[in-house]
Amino acid sequence: LSSGINAEYGEMRMMGRKMVAEKRKEMYEWEGKIPDDDLLAWLISANDGAGLSDEEVIDDIMTVYLVIDNMSKQLGSLFIYLINYPEIYKKMAEELRNTPLTSHRSLDKLKYTEMVILESLRMTPVLLRGTRWLVNKTHLGGYDIPGDCQFQYSQYVLHRNASYWPKPREFIPERFENGIPNVESFTYFPFLSGPRACLGKHVAMVAMKLTLSMLAVNFDLTPQPVAASLPTVVQTMAVTRLKGGPFYHFKPRYTVKETVAHEE
């Protein structure tokens, strides 16, 4: 890692240690009664029960932070696709508005919304590339690769390979109607794959569905009225970022008075 990334990583861990120490003081005063909505307190309690250290609690905190950070980047990309494919947004919004989220199981009913999310992850995955260390030599794609070396791959490139994805540059959620295709060929892995796959992938999917539901119920997604530059994909380290904008805005579906009446 570069010195800049190392410094940022160190600052995050220092902040995490401070958060854990302050939360432990609060928990001591609570005498074992943890509020249902205090995620950090529950993380500390669960790790204490498993005999883990505070440093491992901080690892969990950083995982949650990275999930939220990467989820926001992914939703930013998704909204741009939805602006350009209004019929897809209309169909997704209709499903979200007609499916009350009363429990975790309610999320399983959002079939089309999940297809839209999966397609956005195919088109613009948060991670552009990944790295693995090869222990043994291997033969891949017509090339002999020596052992004991670093191997880099790009899910962004594989996700747009016409050999596996018909019309790869078009946004087509229906390609995931029967689940994830090409699973055995490892040509779709936005969260990486294998034992070192992203630990937060399930949290990210749940969070994106919840966010899209809240937005669709309360807002309409519309193009930004002010002229904006076209989005371009740029790379910071191995992470996808969109440059330019703004590209869209959210128009409230109800006034304050209408919102109160709607909720009643």
Side-chain angles (χ1 to χ4, degrees):
L1 294 174
S2 68
S3 58
I5 296 296
N6 270 324
E8 185 177 349
Y9 179 79
E11 289 176 7
M12 289 175 65
R13 294 202 74 89
M14 287 291 291
M15 187 184 300
R17 293 185 186 102
K18 182 178 179 181
M19 290 169 59
V20 171
E22 291 176 350
K23 184 58 64 176
R24 282 197 179 280
K25 290 181 181 178
E26 287 186 58
M27 292 173 67
Y28 180 78
E29 296 173 357
W30 295 341
E31 297 180 346
K33 297 179 181 179
I34 301 176
D36 292 338
D37 60 352
D38 197 317
L39 176 60
L40 179 54
W42 282 109
L43 278 176
I44 293 172
S45 178
N47 279 332
D48 284 350
L52 302 179
S53 67
D54 279 358
E55 289 302 308
E56 289 168 306
V57 175
I58 294 168
D59 289 338
D60 290 339
I61 294 172
M62 294 185 69
T63 297
V64 172
Y65 167 78
L66 290 172
V67 167
I68 295 172
D69 182 63
N70 289 339
M71 181 199 74
S72 65
K73 294 184 180 72
Q74 191 62 47
L75 287 175
S77 301
L78 172 57
F79 294 144
I80 292 175
Y81 289 121
L82 293 175
I83 282 296
N84 287 282
Y85 294 88
E87 70 285 354
I88 292 176
Y89 173 71
K90 181 179 179 180
K91 185 175 179 179
M92 184 192 75
E94 184 177 349
E95 178 184 72
L96 291 166
R97 291 165 184 169
N98 292 328
T99 308
L101 298 183
T102 56
S103 68
H104 186 273
R105 292 185 177 179
S106 302
L107 295 171
D108 295 334
K109 299 177 182 179
L110 302 176
K111 301 296 184 182
Y112 189 73
T113 301
E114 181 166 318
M115 289 158 54
V116 171
I117 294 172
L118 292 175
E119 178 67 344
S120 75
L121 286 165
R122 183 191 70 83
M123 291 285 286
T124 315
V126 172
L127 293 176
L128 281 176
R129 58 182 173 83
T131 302
R132 292 292 183 266
W133 191 270
L134 294 184
V135 176
N136 302 312
K137 65 179 182 180
T138 186
H139 185 81
L140 183 65
Y143 296 92
D144 291 317
I145 305 174
D148 194 29
C149 73
Q150 189 181 68
F151 181 82
Q152 292 194 357
Y153 52 86
S154 173
Q155 48 268 63
Y156 182 86
V157 174
L158 285 169
H159 288 181
R160 293 166 177 258
N161 189 325
S163 299
Y164 300 97
W165 303 97
K167 300 179 180 179
R169 295 183 180 276
E170 292 188 25
F171 193 82
I172 309 174
E174 285 75 13
R175 67 174 90 240
F176 292 95
E177 190 168 7
N178 298 314
I180 298 174
N182 308 322
V183 172
E184 295 180 356
S185 61
F186 288 98
T187 54
Y188 183 81
F189 49 99
F191 297 106
L192 305 184
S193 185
R196 294 186 180 275
C198 176
L199 295 174
K201 62 181 179 180
H202 298 299
V203 176
M205 289 297 293
V206 168
M208 283 192 281
K209 287 181 180 180
L210 288 173
T211 303
L212 289 171
S213 176
M214 289 187 288
L215 288 172
V217 168
N218 296 290
F219 299 91
D220 283 318
L221 180 65
T222 59
Q224 175 68 24
V226 179
S229 59
L230 293 174
T232 56
V233 177
V234 296
Q235 178 180 346
T236 304
M237 295 297 287
V239 178
T240 305
R241 297 181 187 274
L242 291 178
K243 184 178 181 181
F247 311 108
Y248 50 82
H249 75 289
F250 293 95
K251 180 181 179 182
R253 299 182 67 213
Y254 309 102
T255 63
V256 174
K257 185 181 293 186
E258 288 172 334
T259 300
V260 173
H262 180 73
E263 290 177 350
E264 292 176 350

